[in-house]
Every structure is written in C-alpha cells, then in structure tokens.
Amino acid sequence: MSNLITYGAPTPDLSRLDRFLAVRALTERLAAPLSPEDQTVQSMPDASPAKWHLAHTTWFFETFVLRTHSPSYRAFDPAYEYLFNSYYEAVGPRHPRPQRGMITRPGVEEILAYRRQVTEAMVGLIDRGNDQCAALVELGLHHEQQHQELLLMDIKHLLSLNPLKPVYAPRRDGGDDETPGGPLSWVEFDSGLTSIGHDSKDFAFDNEGPRHRVWIEPFTLATRLVTCAEYAAFIEEDGYRRPEFWLSAGWDCASQRGWEAPLYWQRDGGRWSVFTLGGLQPLRDDEPVCHVSGYEAAAFAKWAGKRLPRESEWEVAAADVPLTGNMLDSGRLHPAPASGRGLRQMIGDVWEWTASPYVAYPGYREPPGAIGEYNGKFMANQMVLRGGCAATPADHIRTTYRNFFPLDARWMFGGIRLAEDLR
Amino acid sequence: MSNLITYGAPTPDLSRLDRFLAVRALTERLAAPLSPEDQTVQSMPDASPAKWHLAHTTWFFETFVLRTHSPSYRAFDPAYEYLFNSYYEAVGPRHPRPQRGMITRPGVEEILAYRRQVTEAMVGLIDRGNDQCAALVELGLHHEQQHQELLLMDIKHLLSLNPLKPVYAPRRDGGDDETPGGPLSWVEFDSGLTSIGHDSKDFAFDNEGPRHRVWIEPFTLATRLVTCAEYAAFIEEDGYRRPEFWLSAGWDCASQRGWEAPLYWQRDGGRWSVFTLGGLQPLRDDEPVCHVSGYEAAAFAKWAGKRLPRESEWEVAAADVPLTGNMLDSGRLHPAPASGRGLRQMIGDVWEWTASPYVAYPGYREPPGAIGEYNGKFMANQMVLRGGCAATPADHIRTTYRNFFPLDARWMFGGIRLAEDLR
Amino acid sequence: MSNLITYGAPTPDLSRLDRFLAVRALTERLAAPLSPEDQTVQSMPDASPAKWHLAHTTWFFETFVLRTHSPSYRAFDPAYEYLFNSYYEAVGPRHPRPQRGMITRPGVEEILAYRRQVTEAMVGLIDRGNDQCAALVELGLHHEQQHQELLLMDIKHLLSLNPLKPVYAPRRDGGDDETPGGPLSWVEFDSGLTSIGHDSKDFAFDNEGPRHRVWIEPFTLATRLVTCAEYAAFIEEDGYRRPEFWLSAGWDCASQRGWEAPLYWQRDGGRWSVFTLGGLQPLRDDEPVCHVSGYEAAAFAKWAGKRLPRESEWEVAAADVPLTGNMLDSGRLHPAPASGRGLRQMIGDVWEWTASPYVAYPGYREPPGAIGEYNGKFMANQMVLRGGCAATPADHIRTTYRNFFPLDARWMFGGIRLAEDLR
Amino acid sequence: MSNLITYGAPTPDLSRLDRFLAVRALTERLAAPLSPEDQTVQSMPDASPAKWHLAHTTWFFETFVLRTHSPSYRAFDPAYEYLFNSYYEAVGPRHPRPQRGMITRPGVEEILAYRRQVTEAMVGLIDRGNDQCAALVELGLHHEQQHQELLLMDIKHLLSLNPLKPVYAPRRDGGDDETPGGPLSWVEFDSGLTSIGHDSKDFAFDNEGPRHRVWIEPFTLATRLVTCAEYAAFIEEDGYRRPEFWLSAGWDCASQRGWEAPLYWQRDGGRWSVFTLGGLQPLRDDEPVCHVSGYEAAAFAKWAGKRLPRESEWEVAAADVPLTGNMLDSGRLHPAPASGRGLRQMIGDVWEWTASPYVAYPGYREPPGAIGEYNGKFMANQMVLRGGCAATPADHIRTTYRNFFPLDARWMFGGIRLAEDLR
C-alpha cells in the first residue's frame, strides 16, 4: 500500500491550522508520483505544468497574505512574483500563459523549498491568529484545491499524449458493492418561484451569490448520469456525422478537430479503450461518459430527444442531496457506475454540463482589489458545470458551486445528465 | 432627388401581395447604388456579397415555398440550390461561406433575372391564396428584411476597406429639429414576477417565444444611448489600455486585433472621423456610439461604473415604448442624436448590447424540418442585442425581437445603453 | 469567329509605336470576355484581380515614364499611385497585396478610361521620340506582357473555384495535324565550359545577365515534356502516398494541402477531367501535364528514376531551338501534345521546372532606382522555370528568360521535362 | 575546476573504439549540467529536448547497426523505435516532431540506461571488428556529433526563454592573448576553372560530393567575420527599417516577427546585452555577430555595399586554411574576436551564411536505403553555411562540409563574412 496516494478524507472539524496543513500536504502528495520531467511540461496552452501549480498556489499565499500581513516576511525569490502570477493584472506583469512550460528552472526541488518556506511562514501567521486575513487564507485554500483538480486534469492530458500511455496511479475500482444503476429513470420538479445561490456564512466563491429569486418551469431530471454505453450508441448511430443534432459552432468545431468520440477514447479493433489516470483501460459500459465537450453534451441530448438542465434546475434538484460521492478522496480518480436508488451521482464523478452560460447573478459585484479578478472577468463564452468530479477534493464542493468552461473544452472531467420540460 | 433611394415607409394595412412586392422591391433598391463590382466582393468570412444576398433571399422562396407548393414551378438553375444555400444542412450540401466571394458568375444581371422569375411565380402563388404556405411566405419576407440590413452592414464594411472611402448614399441629416438630449438621466423599474417573450398571433421568430415568467430585480435604465462624446472620454482615459475594465477574453481580443476605438473611427490629426454609408464624416459628439463589440460595450459600462441591461430588463422597459425611431425608412442610415424626453432611442439607431447570452427560452422547441435550423443552432457563444438600428426596416422590429452576435462582432450597428442595480 | 479573341501574332518589324499599341490592346482583349464581376475578385493572396492587372500595367507607364518624362502630364487620379503600386517600396506606400480584391471602386469602366488617358499620353511621348525613356517603355511593355500571362493564370484560378466551371474562351484544338509524339526519347549533351545568360543589345530582364561561364557535366534531356498519361501512372503507383519520392518539405506540403493530383484535375468516376480556360474537359493522355508544383515535378522525376534539368543545361540545349511553339497567339490557351521530331516543346506549352534555385548570376547588379526592385529582391526560396507557356505572348520569350516561382506554386502553367546524368 | 565540462580535444590517431567511446561520452558530458527538467522541454518545433538528442543518437546505432549486424542484440524497448525516429520514413512511422517535448517518460535516467546498453553492445560489435558496418558506425558518430551541436543550440534557445536567464556553463574567455583584429581587410582570388567537393577516402557526408568542376569569377573575401560593432552600426542606421536592403521575403519575415536585432540581443538602457550559454553578458564590440538569419546576413551585406560569398568561393578560399579555430573543445561556447593576420576565423566561431542555395552537386546520388534520407530530401528552400562554429566538435569539420538552414533560422550559431566581385 505504500505506493498508493492517500488523497485525504475531509474532516470538517479540523482546526484552521490543521486544514491549512492538510490542503498543502495533499498538493504535494498529488505531485509525488510524477518525475521532475512529468512536472515540467505544458501539454497545451490551456494546461499548466504540475510544478507550476505547486508554485502558483504558493505564490497566492505569498502575494496576497504574507506580503501584506506579515511585515517581516522576505520573498523567497523576487522573480517568482512575475513567474507564477496566473492572470492578476493588478499585481503586475506576468509570464505569458502559453510559455509556462518553458520555465525549466526553478526545478522541482527549488519549488518544493519555496513551498516549505511559505507554508512555514503561513503557519506562523495562522498561529498568531491574525483575523484580518482569515478570509484570504480560506480563499487561498479553496484556490489550492481548485489547482489540485487542475493538476490532475493537466497531468492526465500530458500523459495521454505519450504513446507509452503511462500510469499515474494504479486504478482502484470500487469492488463488488457496485451494482449497475439499471435503466434511466426520472424525477419530476414543479414550477414555482424559488431562490438559488449561496447565502450562508460559510465560504463560497463570489460568483455563487448573491442568493436571488428565479422562476422555475416544471421539469424532470434523469436520476443518473449518461453512461458510456449510451454514449457509444450515439456514436454508432452516426451522432458525429449528423449535423441536425449539433449546435452550428459545435459542428464546425467537431469537424475541424476531427472529433469522433470523447477525448481519451480510442478504438482498438472493435472495442473501445479509454485512457485514465490508471493507464489505458477497456471501456466499461456502465461508467458515466466523461471528457466530452459542451458541444458533444448538447448533441447527445438532442439525439436523445432531451436537453441539458439549466443551472437553476440543477441547484433546485440538488438542494436535498447529501454532499457525498465519488470524489478525490475515493482514490478512484475516475467516474464510477451509478449505484443505489433515487437521484444519484449529483455530487462527484463528473462535472455536469448545464444549458446555462456563465454570467453574473443579479446583484453580483466583484470584490475590490486583485482578488476581484478571481471570477468576474471570465464571464464570457463559458458554460456552467455543476457538482464536482472524481478529481475534486471532497470538502471543496457545494451545491451552489459554479464551475465554468468554454463549450469546446474536454480535458476536465465533464459529463452529461439529461433533463426535459414537463408540460 | 432622383438619386436618393426611397427606403419605403411601412404601411401596416398592405395586402399580403403588396407587402410581398414592397419587400422584394426594397431589396433591389438597396442594391441599386452598387456597381456589379461592389455587389460581388466578400470583405470577410462573416460578410456576404450584395448579390449573394439578392440571390439567397430568392433561393429561400424558391426552396421552401415554390418547390413544395407550386408543382409546375421549374427551377431557374438547379445549381443555385447549392450556390445560394446559406446554412440549411437539411436542404443538402452548400457552397462554403468563406467562398461566397469567389462566385463571379452568375453576375448581377442573371441574379436580377432570377429574382424576377421567382417573384413572378410567388405572385401567382399568393394570388391563388394558398393558405398552407402563408406562414412560410411571411417567414420569407422577414428573412429578406434581415438580409436587407445585412446587405447594408456588409457593403459598409467592404467600402470602408477602400482607401477612397466611397459614398454609398449621400448623408441625410435630420435637420434643425434635432436638439441634443442633454445629460444622462435614468428611469427606475421595480422588482417583480413578470413575463417576457412573444405570444400574439402576429409574426415573430421562433426564438422570441414562448412567453414565460421571469423575476426581475429592481433596476434603472438610462433614458438614452451612450454618445460618441462619452465613448471618446473612455478612450481618452486610456480605456483601451486598462485591463481592469475588460472581460479577460475581451482584453485578449482587443490586444490581438489592435483595437483602439470603435470600428470605422479614425483619428485625423487631433479629431475623430467616422466612416459611414455617406462616406467619411467628422464625428458628431451627440450621436450614439456605434460599431462597438460586446467586449467594448462591457468595458465601457464598467469604466462608467454601470452595467449593461439584461434582455428581460430591456423588454420590460420597452413594453410601453412606441415602435418608432430612426430606422431604415428614415434614409439616414446612421444613428441620430437623442431628442425629446423620457425613455428614448429604444427602437432604431443602434442594436443595444445586453448582458444576456443568447439561449433558448424555457419551453422553446425548434420547428420541424429545415426551417428548424433558423435560430436554435446558433445558441452558443452569442449575446442578445435588442431594439433594431438605423439599417433595420421599420416594420421588421418588435420589442420581443432577439438579435444575436458574438462578443467580438463590430460590423453590425451595435451600441450601448447603460443600466444599474437599484438597491 | 467574331466572339473569338485574337491574341495577336508577333511581328518583329513593328514600329515602336505600333508595338506599344499592340501590347496595350491585347491586354484589353484578354479582359474583354470577363464581366466586371469576374475582373474584380482576387481568388487568393498570390493572385490579383483582372482589373488590377489592367490598372497596374498602366500605373507602371504613368509612374516611371510619364511622371518623369512628360512634365505636362497630369495624373488621372492621385490615389492610383497608392492603389496600383505592386511592390515598389521606393515609390512609396502601397495597398497591401492580399487586399487588392477589396477595391471595387474604381470599377472596370474607370480603369479603362485610365488606360485610355495613359495610352494617349504615351503615344504623344513616343511620337516625340524621346530616346531617354525608350528603354523604360520597352521594360513597361515586357512588364505588361508578363501581366497578360498573370491575368490568364489568375482568372483561370478564380473561375476554377466556381462550381459552375465557367468557360473563359471556347477551346481551340490544334486539329488533324497533331500526331502524338510517341515514346520518350533523349538527346545527349557533352561536358564542357560554356557560357549562359543574355548579352545581345536586344531587350532582356536584368536577371538574365551578365553572360558568364559555366562548366557543364554530360547529360541527356528528354525530347518532349512529361504527358498526362505518364503523370497519371505516377498517381496510380501511389506517387502521392510514398514519401521516398518527395523532398521533405514537399511531402509536408502535399500532405497538409491534401494534394492527390495536379491542380485543376478532378476525378469524375473512373476518369480524369481537367479544368481549362475552355471549361472542364476530359483529360487528354498525350497532352503535357500542367499545373504541377516544383515539389510534384521533383517527386515525379525521382519516381521515374530521372531528375529535373539545371537551368544551365536547359539553356545550353535550347540554344539552337527556334523561338516558336504553342504560345498565347495560338489561342489554344492550353498545352498541346508533342508533334514532330527531335527536341520539341522547349518554347511554349508549359514553363519547365528546373533544379536550379533562382539566384543572381555572377556579376549581377541591380539597376539603380525603383526599377532595381524588379527582380533581385525576389531571389529567395524560388526555383527557375524556363521556356514560356501557352499563355505567354509569343514575342515575350527568350532562351535566356528566367521565370521563377516558389516550389509550392501550382497556378502558373508549370510542367516537367526530364533529364539524366550521362556517365 | 571540477564543475567545468571538458569538451574533449580531437586526437586523430584514436582507435575506432576509443573514438566511439569518446564521442558517446562527450554527449553525456554536454547534458550533465542540465537538470531532468531542462532536458525534457522542447522550446519550439525546430528544436528538440536534450534527452531526445541523447536517445535519438542511440536509436541511430540501435536501428542501423545493431539490429542488422548484431543478431543476438535485443532492443532496449521496442517503443523507442517509434519514439526516437527523427525523419526516416523507410524505418517506419515516427513520433511527430513538434510533439517531442510531450514525452516526459522515459525519463533522463532510463535514457541514460538505454545509452549504456547500446554503447556496450556497440563496443562488443566494434571489438569483433565487423568491417561491414564500419562505415555505418562512422556515420553514426558524425551523426552524434551533429546532435552535440544541436543539443547546445536547442538548450541555448530554451534557457533564453527563461526570464531568469540561466547559465549553462560559466563563460570562459580567451584571456590576454586576444588582440582585436583591426580594420577589415580583403584577400583577392583569381578567376578560373577549379574543383570543389569531397573526394578523399576519409569520411564525408554524401552531400559533400562528388568533387566536380566549377568556374570561378574573380572575387575578394573579407579576412575576418563581421563584428558586433559593425552589425550594431547597421541597426543604428535603421537597417531593420529600410526595405531597400532586404530580400522581399526577408522584409516580410522581419516585419512579421518584429525583428530589430539578432536573436539573443537585448537592449538594456543604452547598451546591448547578449544571452550566451554563460548567461546574459554585455555585448563585446569585437566579437563576431552571431545568431542572425540568412535574411539579416543578406541585408547587412547589401547595406555594406558587398555581398555574401558563394559556397564555391568559400571552399576555394578555405583550401589552404588549417582546420583549427574556436570550436567546441575550446569550451568557450561563443564566437571569439579575430586575432592574428591573414584569412582568419574560417573554421569555427560561426557558421558563415553563403549566397548558395543547398542543392545537389552534379552527379550526386543518394545512398540506397534509409540512410539515403540523410541529406538529399532536405534540398529545398535552404542555404548553405560553411566552416563550423564555437559549438561544433573540432574533429567534425571539413572545408567541404555543407551545413544548411532555411533563410529565417536564427537559433544556430550563424554569422557573416563579406565578399565582393573583382572586376
């Protein structure tokens, strides 16, 4: 068992300090199976090198917390301010994103030393109980958890480009207790005026609020995710060759990029295999389809005679769902077949594409300062995805959580749940 | 006066036949000032040659009406079915859009003959009172009116690329009765559950319905459009060089394309000039700013400390506004300064960028058949614009009308009206 | 016969004035079958609109002759200096080449008027016998003859993009006197020190001189051009799918552009057709293959176990060949099968790709002034082609003539003659 | 001194086995200062990761020698045949060049193990004195030496992209014995029929032969290379802004890429610095200019009123020059100022751009088999460079050696020597 990563189960009653240390340590455990070579390369402009994630999450604490609230703190290396800024224009100039993979130095060892210095300084600060920056520390931890998932997405993409199809971590299946979810069934929801969005005192990102009223028309929601077998039927029925199912931009995108199946699927003779963080695996029929773009999700739904849920519908349906599921702490690192009864797989497994573009909620205001760049400026040409995935830290998800990606993105763990109007 | 185009005032009580003939004739009048050379060239992939518009609007009637409902009709040229199909996959293969400008033959004369044959056949059909296709004819006329506006947008773009800055039609100003609208004022709107969308028996595009309930938070709306003087102040205050005002994708877009002002603005010494369908003109301070992208509209609004209205807000505000304004029939072909009092310029002048992505209304279903491709498949990565512009035929607008363009589009007549949350 | 173009047979004893008028008139006859629409469009960045050729050849006389040597001459339109400059940096700024197709105004009629004014002014100048500029006029006429061929190449490319496959001029075949040339035979040439390049007092372009010594190794040259049947055999033997025949850059180019046959060939069922200036025609086996790139020419030669000739070899072989062949004046506008005996088709039919990059001859110096930009600055990444083609004016060719194109160019009339080392 | 690389002085009397071991060991010493991170990244499509060079040079011996001539040899990993094939189509499919940087596994350690296995197997083979493959082994060693230089070029490019400007190896200067070469002087050469090309029994690449006669016109050659001070004067006189000096394609290239100085030059305030393998250094006036493209070399020569030498001229001039100079074994890794008298710097310092396109010599035939792909298929759109550079192994150069790069390449050590016609 010593070569298995422990991904850390969330314990809500951790002290602030312990939680800080747990999040920091998990990032390093996620990078541990990767060689310095693996941690250095950027596989595409949208992805970042693993060691960049290690450094950037550290830069966040150094820049936004230590520099302001810890007067005696001395920067590890002044050049890092430039090198590891992601997109905060207010902080100053930054290294261009598509060039992140060119930064072979500092190497992994130096970045781990950087992490140690910042973690130690942060421990001192948290010990001193500086309440002023507690919110910033909390934000920094959620930021780091986002990058934990990004690190896994990015490294999966990189390894997939290697003809040797390397294994990041041996696959862990759920074992005998998994029984396929059976045929698709539906839950109905009534119309009415309701509210969505975050409003408690617990942490949430700015884009989850303010809580506000929305009118919901009656709808039904599938009780489980679309499976690989169902998606394969779409492929068999020429789903990728029939424009009538596709958004016009989706049709162009799929044609230009030669898409014929989800990302990471490959046909070996008459059978499908799928590249996973556990290496190349035979496709399992009852697993949720994953790594589809929003265009493919929409085309599948139209082929199926259904539609994607709106984010308000999803949130209404999720209101009573427990915050548990197949997430990072399961160590599976891959979506799992549905099991049990009722509305399942809402949390974990795959991020569920919605029909809702990512826009500000009524009354939304960006926070002041550099932190204001966190979410608002990305509200263009992206769609909302909901529910977390098998690579999301378990204590990082909320039913109000709004993830967002462009319609053509496939490298995150994105999947499909169907919905339909009720008349 | 003989060299002036008459753009046709709408008379709501026209017979169906007279309305058909009036729309067809106006298209030809709009092309009349253009040489065969002008009518042939495609200035960019998004634009089409003027003679393509003449042919495609005719193809629509031939393909969707005559072929089905007029058994004795013989196609003008079977090749046209391929050449002048815009994007209807269900009709069959089509000439690639970016290649429309390569089709020098058929020439303008042949296309006018094509128009005459189809118009005559349609007159026979309408005379016979075929009720089955009355809805299709109506759709065909609204389709042709859309292309009347596109023809003007496209020809403006083409002529703007000519260093000689040619005049499409001599500029007609409004004369002495125009008095500047004064400082910006605001109208307030209460919160509440209301309905938007089309529901009468009159014609509307499928995307305008179904009428459905929405909750509105309290807001205010500017009583007039943003002027060129106001937009010039944004430029003077380095609006194009300060990322804090911009959506991230907008900042990248503006940087890559080197935007420093609206499309068609050029600085001559210390003054701005603007290219219009009446040639190059000194910029007029009190005119609405026009030919800005959605990115620029959003950046301006943020600089101004306001925001863009949602489409539901705009529609609620427009409910009581008369359907009159500076539209194609004024012959001005350019937005005009605000005059009068109260909520002005809602109809005509410029299409107003909203903060609402273009998505299906709850309960929306695409019509069956090829006509179903009219709107639904474009619901991705576009924003809604409202209210019509100076190039829109006056009887073509409705307060429920949803125009849509990508955030980076600038060649349509797009402008800005500000809104703000009310607390 | 009245609808046939007369392409003008060269009469060497024409007076300077008559020759001037004959060249100018031929350009206009070449444009006559084209509508204003045809004359306006630019089909790709390498090509120019027909009316641009009409204007630019006129601009040459206006700019380099009239402006300097005719003090009373008044420019037709000062803007034309900018609009119709091709690449002469010394003359001042110019309209970007890829934007030539955007200039719908001036139209064809205005450009013909421009031609008339400049022609008349030139007639006056030539009448006055201004010897100072005789060389410039001569250069201007050869320049215009180059553009006559370019006009035909460019219009062929444009018309080929039209699915209607329009006819520029009805095809004229050579009739009964054409007998196929039989199997390929070879002429041998000895080694020795010889000279190539222009050195008489007759006109030649600067790049044809100075005449200089070269050492020639023994070689043989095919007595005729490679035929379509021979090239089809290369295709049948998977020539386009076997990298061993190709230059590395040629393989990449052909793969990326999806080349599977010469430009303008298309397979209709089991047979090849070829687009010509006379429309789409069945491919004729004994015609020379045409519209191949230098990459294809080199791959074919390697497949055939031969090589392309060097330009020095070609010129040595051509020394005793009469300057006659299938050129523009035949009106055929397409290469013709070989007939007769001995070394044939050296002049006319197709430009023959050589193995020689286009570089300066030893001792070459660019002429002073703007005219110096005529040739020298293009001596990079181009290959020499020799011998003229079916679209070359008959009095425009010389055995020292060096045409040049990049290896990937296919829209000129380029073909293949094989050579081989003799040991 | 222990942290200095020993680059190995050539000893011509080495046994074949010792030479084999020396070359192999030097490759590993060149990689030694690089971290696994440094060795993994590909900085641009033209470059390769350092560890790819280590593997590919090993693949060459495994594929072309061991697999054929050592029946008992078992491949280290069958996947490497695909992963580390550079461009040999005859060997089978290969990993796409621009994707070389994605192969993070095998890591540096595994590739060193691969090197050890192949080196050992080769030692056995050479010990057995297998004469059949002696020529292949020799080719393999020269191939590896080429990659030693490529490794240095590529790693220099990669490190230059790092804002930290890392040092590959501390700079070693020549010390006190270097005295600037003084003003430019010239050597004259007579016209005549002579021969160039390789013809001895010693190793040479196929493209260096056959030896053949060429006629040379009288010319002069500069006795030393163009210096940084001279090149800086070209920049000061607006060399990069005056099109009259440039080839047309060069002007477009420089404009599009924003070139304003040689690669690796940067202006720090009023002074130039230059990035070297020893880090960022102040520019030294008397050093040869380096990392210029062929376009810049040609533009500089034209500005200077001279021209670049033809490769035949260079070879004639180099005939009597000793094969010594500032090469890899000096450890300087950077061109050095001229010292001494007469014709200097012909060997080493910088590869000298010639005016000669890279084409086959008369009588050239590609060797049969995969080895035939070594040189011939690259004879398109490249220019010949002569004389070796500061990164070339000293026993790898010959006066007949023909290096070749496209005109726009700057990352190799390319510099300028002027020539002129003699009348």
Side-chain angles (χ1 to χ4, degrees), chain C residues 86-272:
Chain C
S86 53
Y87 54 71
Y88 296 87
E89 307 270 2
V91 172
R94 61 200 151 95
H95 193 62
R97 177 171 190 142
Q99 298 286 315
R100 285 177 188 166
M102 297 298 117
I103 305 303
T104 58
R105 305 183 190 184
V108 168
E109 282 311 316
E110 279 165 286
I111 285 174
L112 290 177
Y114 176 42
R115 287 187 68 87
R116 281 190 298 272
Q117 169 174 321
V118 168
T119 295
E120 275 167 35
M122 286 296 300
V123 166
L125 192 82
I126 296 173
D127 266 348
R128 289 194 300 275
N130 186 334
D131 272 332
Q132 263 188 290
C133 62
L136 269 173
V137 174
E138 187 68 21
L139 178 61
L141 290 176
H142 284 275
H143 171 259
E144 182 144 353
Q145 289 186 307
Q146 290 182 309
H147 280 275
Q148 289 169 353
E149 181 172 336
L150 286 166
L151 186 156
L152 289 170
M153 287 159 52
D154 291 354
I155 209 70
K156 182 173 182 177
H157 187 258
L158 171 64
L159 296 179
S160 80
L161 298 177
N162 192 323
L164 307 181
K165 300 297 173 200
V167 171
Y168 165 78
R171 184 157 181 179
R172 293 187 216 170
D173 279 346
D176 296 339
D177 58 338
E178 287 175 23
T179 46
L184 200 53
S185 62
W186 301 83
V187 208
E188 299 192 355
F189 294 88
D190 277 344
S191 66
L193 191 64
T194 184
S195 291
I196 65 165
H198 188 80
D199 71 346
S200 89
K201 280 169 193 157
D202 295 339
F203 175 83
F205 288 113
D206 55 6
N207 65 6
E208 297 173 50
R211 191 161 179 86
H212 61 284
R213 274 166 288 193
V214 290
W215 176 264
I216 303 281
E217 299 287 343
F219 71 101
T220 64
L221 199 66
T223 54
R224 63 161 172 76
L225 298 166
V226 169
T227 64
C228 288
E230 287 160 349
Y231 199 86
F234 166 69
I235 298 175
E236 292 309 308
E237 292 193 11
D238 277 338
Y240 281 89
R241 292 196 190 85
R242 293 167 62 186
E244 63 264 34
F245 304 135
W246 291 76
L247 287 161
S248 179
W251 180 249
D252 292 348
C253 174
S255 304
Q256 282 159 19
R257 305 189 193 178
W259 288 350
E260 302 191 337
L263 181 63
Y264 303 140
W265 286 33
Q266 64 178 63
R267 221 189 271 268
D268 296 323
R271 309 216 30 181
W272 286 109

